[in-house]
Amino acid sequence: MKLAFVGKGGSGKTTMASLFARRAAALGHPVMAIDADINQHLAAALGLDPEAAAMGPVLGEHLPDIKDYLRGANPLIPTTDLMLKTTPPGPGSRLLTVREANPVFDMLFTQHEGIRFAATGGFVDDDLGVACYHSKVGAVELLLNHLVDGTDEFVIVDMVAGAEAFASGMFTRFDHTFLVCEPTLRSVGVYKQYVGYAEDYDVRISVIGNKIDDEDDVAFLREHVGDALIGWCSRSRYVKAAERGSVGPVADLEPRNLAVLDAARERAVAGGKDWAKFTRQAHEFHRKAALAWGNDRAGVDLADQIVPDFVLGEHLLRAQTV
């Protein structure tokens, strides 16, 4: 299951993403966690040494390597120069699975307590004033477009704060989106933005309340987000200790807060996967990118890379049964 964690800056989305990942891994599920936020804090929240993580390789600096590997022997993509972040897989492309070993995962992901972790990387001096953060996040979009995952596997992406995620089509790459929401007007405002932008794309959105002190807070969220609210987390001594550098076993999280994580995981699994929709939307956003700027840069019609009947998950399943 591909899952996005979003919300207003400071809402606790990174904390929630890390707790979800660690809980799922502790229960024996294969888990990948990717930090796609411009503020790179997921590594520390997962319990990695933040300084060591910052010194490691990052996805955004290895986009050419990622493209070259994923391109494989696809005859429609003779060179990596013809790959956009939206490029969908086709015959001959290399598809990824959560549990496999491959050169990209070996080079760019770190193993920690049963979780495969990678980060897009933040801005460096050469980026300032000349680069857009979406160029780094494009590596994540490409990986998601080529990744075949099951309902017992979890690929968790800590997204950029606010509604910035809608600057690209990556918001459609997820089976479920969890919006972490404080009981404030600014936080529910981000929820309403998300719902408004996503309503034409059949994006499954659930709200997890955070920093809840009392029933008034719960009532406020119910008033503004309605049935999208699937649970809420109260203020946590465990989280406070983790944010001070003492990350204990996730089983030590308060039982009520653990129950919210389990409810979120069950909601995602119950929704299942829709490979036809995933593929259709990948093709839609690739056409948009090609028309907006890709074709002019490449000098060819990049929409010709689309193979309409190449449905990602279904294609792999057919290959495995042959």
Side-chain angles (χ1 to χ4, degrees):
M1 305 297 291
K2 299 180 178 75
L3 309 177
F5 279 78
V6 302
K8 181 183 74 65
S11 64
K13 67 176 180 60
T14 299
T15 297
M16 204 68 68
S18 68
L19 291 173
F20 186 105
R22 295 177 63 221
R23 176 64 167 172
L27 293 174
H29 295 283
V31 175
M32 299 179 75
I34 300 175
D35 193 343
D37 193 355
I38 191 170
N39 298 305
Q40 303 264 286
H41 298 307
L42 185 59
L46 290 169
L48 284 87
D49 181 338
E51 293 186 3
M55 295 297 292
V58 292
L59 300 173
E61 294 178 3
H62 290 272
L63 185 56
D65 298 315
I66 294 170
K67 287 181 176 181
D68 191 54
Y69 182 76
L70 296 178
R71 180 172 64 89
N74 187 335
L76 301 176
I77 312 173
T79 71
T80 57
D81 291 338
L82 298 180
M83 285 189 80
L84 309 181
K85 63 183 181 180
T86 55
T87 300
S93 297
R94 287 192 175 100
L95 305 182
L96 309 172
T97 62
V98 175
R99 309 178 200 217
E100 73 178 24
N102 63 57
V104 170
F105 289 173
D106 293 345
M107 175 173 57
L108 299 175
F109 283 74
T110 299
Q111 289 279 356
H112 178 72
E113 296 184 353
I115 298 170
R116 267 181 166 168
F117 169 77
T120 56
F123 280 125
V124 296
D125 288 345
D126 290 345
D127 296 325
L128 298 178
V130 296
C132 170
Y133 190 65
H134 301 297
S135 63
K136 298 179 182 293
V137 176
V140 182
E141 189 168 349
L142 262 177
L143 290 175
L144 295 176
N145 272 344
H146 291 74
L147 180 64
V148 182
D149 52 300
T151 55
D152 63 336
E153 302 169 324
F154 297 97
V155 181
I156 296 142
V157 180
D158 182 22
M159 295 284 281
V160 292
E164 182 70 12
F166 289 93
S168 76
M170 196 164 81
F171 72 94
T172 66
R173 303 297 78 208
F174 301 103
D175 301 300
H176 211 100
T177 295
F178 292 104
L179 190 143
V180 181
C181 193
E182 300 166 276
T184 67
L185 287 174
R186 287 181 60 195
S187 201
V188 298
V190 170
Y191 163 75
K192 291 174 181 178
Q193 276 186 302
Y194 239 88
V195 170
Y197 291 146
E199 63 182 352
D200 293 333
Y201 295 95
D202 191 22
V203 176
R204 297 170 183 159
I205 301 176
S206 295
V207 173
I208 300 175
N210 196 30
K211 304 179 184 177
I212 301 300
D213 289 320
D214 51 37
E215 284 299 321
D216 288 343
D217 288 345
V218 177
F220 179 87
L221 287 179
R222 282 180 171 150
E223 176 187 355
H224 288 277
V225 308
D227 293 339
L229 183 66
I230 62 167
W232 54 90
C233 290
S234 58
R235 295 187 186 270
S236 167
R237 290 183 178 275
Y238 175 92
V239 169
K240 181 182 290 187
E243 291 178 346
R244 292 174 174 173
S246 179
V247 181
V250 71
D252 292 346
L253 183 67
E254 297 84 1
R256 284 188 178 183
N257 293 338
L258 271 180
V260 174
L261 300 177
D262 292 341
R265 188 180 64 257
E266 291 164 7
R267 175 65 63 93
V269 171
K273 301 191 66 67
D274 187 339
W275 287 113
K277 181 182 79 170
F278 183 88
T279 300
R280 183 177 66 253
Q281 291 178 337
H283 293 173
E284 176 182 352
F285 278 93
H286 186 56
R287 289 190 188 94
K288 287 183 176 182
L291 287 171
W293 60 273
N295 291 347
D296 288 342
R297 190 188 73 175
V300 297
D301 187 356
L302 297 178
D304 290 342
Q305 297 169 340
I306 295 171
V307 180
D309 62 352
F310 192 95
V311 179
L312 182 59
E314 294 177 7
H315 174 83
L316 186 66
L317 289 173
R318 287 197 299 270
Q320 290 174 337
T321 57
V322 172

